[in-house]
Amino acid sequence: MAAKGAAAGAGVLLVTANVGSLFDDPENLQKNWLREFYQVVHTHKPHFMALHCQEFGGKNYEASMSHVDKFVKELLSSDAMKDYNRARVYLDENYKSQEHFTALGSFYFLHESLKNIYQFDFKAKKYKKVTGKEIYSDTLESTPMLEKEKFPQDYFPECKWSRKGFIRTRWCITDCAFDLVNIHLFHDASNLIAWETSPSVYSGIRHKALGYVLDRIIDQRFEKVSYFVFGDFNFRLDAKAVVETLCAKATMQTIRAADTNEVVKLIFRESDNDRKVMLQLEKKLFDYFNQDVFRDNNGTALLEFDRELSVFKDRLYELDISFPPSYPYSEDSSQGKQYMNTRCPAWCDRILMSHSAKELILKSENDEKIVIYDHIGPNVCMGDHKPVFLSFRIAAGAGKRCLRNEKIFRETTL
């Protein structure tokens, strides 16, 4: 049961999860994933909960349709969620359209104790009261309760389509308006290319795409409100700086392809100690000899190389990170803490907010920790990404009011 006392503020839980692995190996991964997710819900007991998923349906959506349906049904009907009597689910299932498909899935759950919650209709430019449970899928472009875009093709590296874009919804809780944006940005295609420059060329592509989203959600079409942007940003550590630090006393061997002379592998060896291999770097290999550096003290020593958000410091705020890099974990269901040696571990999965949204978060009047930013399933295999969550309370009357005209609420229900 959700915490009482809505007058003291509504409890909110925001979760982002790249769930592609769950549909590639549903038998071994989904049960554990859902158990850990429900545990977080039980612990924080939110009144309002948003779950933003990326790569929903896995690498082959059409083959995963039955697993998708089962996953959605489980979330909506499980005993752990029985007190959430209203829900909205938005699934981009338009996998046959290369031009539009983003593989994003956004879930919103409302506790029975939460009264008077409204969602914005972007077409009618009105808030509508939320009742019942509804699922929207296939082509979301015609759904007026959200905005969905895939990034323009010239944003994509080498102009090759992939499933990257965003979905935006707007909500009114305790008479406070805010946007929730589900986002998936571009990944690093090659460790070798990422290592060449600081910042990497991929970092520049993500910078451009995130700027595009932020410009869209504060343009002149709608009233400006506070916003939370959470998803798989694919932010990576500055690879060149990380390698130079981890292998400061190493010598580098370059291996080239015989036919093209292209660099295909870098090997870093200790200068002494029998020339021990410290790091092997290939297009999709980042094999460092000591993974503990990414886990010790939650990887805090590496946060100085997490630099991609710094260019947005005037537009976006993030709470301090106190959890280890969220990607790339082993997809072996028996391994909960092991990283794959495909990429340098990084904090890809994040929950960011506008500076006005930061003010919405209810500050505790005592030493009780009300605002929590953490990851889910630290000791359990959750797929290659660990979900990340933010738990907080919105103070009654905080932020920009959305009850501008009571008539619009009485006129329409959703």
Side-chain angles (χ1 to χ4, degrees):
M1 186 173 180
K4 294 284 187 180
V12 176
L13 180 66
L14 308 180
V15 180
T16 179
N18 184 315
V19 293
S21 298
L22 302 192
F23 299 97
D24 296 331
D25 185 12
E27 299 305 319
N28 289 314
L29 296 181
Q30 280 194 19
K31 185 177 180 181
N32 287 343
W33 193 98
L34 287 165
R35 185 188 67 240
E36 296 295 315
F37 174 74
Y38 293 149
Q39 182 58 52
V40 170
V41 175
H42 176 75
T43 299
H44 297 279
K45 299 179 173 59
H47 298 95
F48 176 86
M49 176 170 36
L51 169 62
H52 283 178
C53 297
Q54 305 82 42
E55 293 294 340
F56 198 79
K59 294 182 180 67
N60 188 339
Y61 201 104
E62 190 168 12
S64 300
M65 289 294 283
S66 63
H67 300 305
V68 166
D69 293 342
K70 183 178 178 182
F71 185 84
V72 173
K73 185 177 180 180
E74 163 65 28
L75 276 174
L76 290 176
S77 62
S78 73
D79 189 60
M81 304 290 283
K82 67 180 186 300
D83 293 331
Y84 295 87
N85 64 345
R86 290 154 293 170
R88 291 293 179 271
V89 179
Y90 302 104
L91 305 177
D92 185 0
E93 295 186 333
N94 191 19
Y95 56 86
K96 292 182 179 178
S97 173
Q98 203 175 43
E99 185 180 350
H100 295 108
F101 185 47
T102 63
L104 295 173
S106 297
F107 297 74
Y108 304 97
F109 302 94
L110 288 63
H111 194 272
E112 60 189 10
S113 67
L114 185 63
K115 309 300 181 186
N116 301 323
I117 180 165
Y118 305 90
Q119 188 181 359
F120 191 68
D121 182 322
F122 288 95
K123 192 167 288 185
K125 296 188 177 181
K126 291 182 178 181
Y127 286 94
K128 295 183 177 181
K129 190 168 184 178
V130 181
T131 61
K133 297 180 180 180
E134 296 178 0
I135 300 173
Y136 298 84
S137 60
D138 197 16
T139 53
L140 297 181
E141 285 77 15
S142 60
T143 304
M145 307 311 293
L146 59 80
E147 286 198 313
K148 178 204 139 190
E149 283 191 52
K150 190 167 184 172
F151 292 114
Q153 188 171 11
D154 62 353
Y155 278 51
F156 287 76
E158 302 170 354
C159 289
K160 292 181 180 178
W161 282 118
S162 61
R163 302 179 287 187
K164 303 295 188 292
F166 70 94
I167 290 177
R168 168 199 192 186
T169 56
R170 177 171 292 188
W171 302 85
C172 175
I173 300 175
T174 64
D175 197 16
C176 173
F178 55 86
D179 283 349
L180 300 179
V181 181
N182 186 354
I183 191 169
H184 195 183
L185 298 183
F186 305 98
H187 64 281
D188 284 11
S190 168
N191 294 322
L192 293 169
I193 293 175
W195 180 81
E196 288 175 353
T197 58
S198 176
S200 77
V201 61
Y202 304 117
S203 174
I205 294 168
R206 287 188 285 271
H207 177 191
K208 181 180 178 183
L210 181 52
Y212 176 86
V213 174
L214 297 181
D215 289 343
R216 287 291 286 162
I217 61 178
I218 63 166
D219 63 19
Q220 300 302 313
R221 295 170 302 139
F222 306 102
E223 184 179 18
K224 291 182 177 65
V225 299
S226 300
Y227 55 85
F228 296 85
V229 185
F230 50 114
D232 179 3
F233 293 85
N234 262 314
F235 289 159
R236 306 300 170 98
L237 304 186
D238 187 317
K240 190 172 183 65
V242 169
V243 171
E244 289 174 349
T245 300
L246 294 179
C247 303
K249 297 180 179 180
T251 56
M252 184 181 78
Q253 176 187 358
T254 303
I255 299 175
R256 298 178 180 271
D259 52 346
T260 63
N261 204 38
E262 178 185 5
V263 175
V264 294
K265 188 170 187 173
L266 300 174
I267 301 175
F268 297 82
R269 301 177 186 273
E270 290 188 0
S271 300
D272 46 24
N273 195 24
D274 296 327
R275 305 272 297 153
K276 176 183 176 182
V277 174
M278 299 180 69
L279 172 67
Q280 296 183 77
L281 203 63
E282 298 177 12
K283 181 178 180 179
K284 294 186 178 181
L285 177 73
F286 188 98
D287 189 4
Y288 188 63
F289 78 103
N290 179 21
Q291 279 202 3
D292 288 343
V293 69
F294 304 112
R295 290 188 291 258
D296 288 349
N297 197 24
N298 290 323
T300 303
L302 296 169
L303 278 171
E304 66 172 293
F305 305 112
D306 179 67
R307 300 168 178 169
E308 293 197 33
L309 189 56
S310 62
V311 295
F312 293 99
K313 63 179 183 296
D314 294 334
R315 305 179 73 178
L316 291 169
Y317 173 80
E318 181 180 30
L319 274 76
D320 290 340
I321 292 175
S322 59
F323 49 88
S326 63
Y327 172 87
Y329 281 91
S330 169
E331 294 171 299
D332 181 338
S333 59
S334 66
Q335 298 288 338
K337 291 186 173 183
Q338 185 76 14
Y339 287 106
M340 288 192 285
N341 61 3
T342 53
R343 309 285 185 186
C344 177
W347 289 273
C348 293
D349 309 273
R350 317 278 277 260
I351 299 177
L352 312 178
M353 65 195 81
S354 62
H355 288 279
S356 60
K358 179 179 67 171
E359 303 306 318
L360 294 182
I361 298 176
L362 181 65
K363 300 295 191 297
S364 176
E365 295 180 356
N366 51 39
D367 292 331
E368 183 184 0
K369 192 175 183 183
I370 288 181
V371 181
I372 301 174
Y373 187 34
D374 206 349
H375 66 325
I376 300 176
N379 302 309
V380 176
C381 179
M382 304 289 283
D384 57 350
H385 289 256
K386 296 283 190 192
V388 169
F389 75 90
L390 176 65
S391 175
F392 62 93
R393 300 181 75 78
I394 292 183
K400 179 171 288 189
R401 297 190 68 204
C402 50
L403 193 57
R404 290 298 183 86
N405 179 358
E406 291 188 5
K407 184 179 179 182
I408 65 173
F409 293 103
R410 288 197 295 266
E411 280 181 343
T412 55
T413 59
L414 175 64

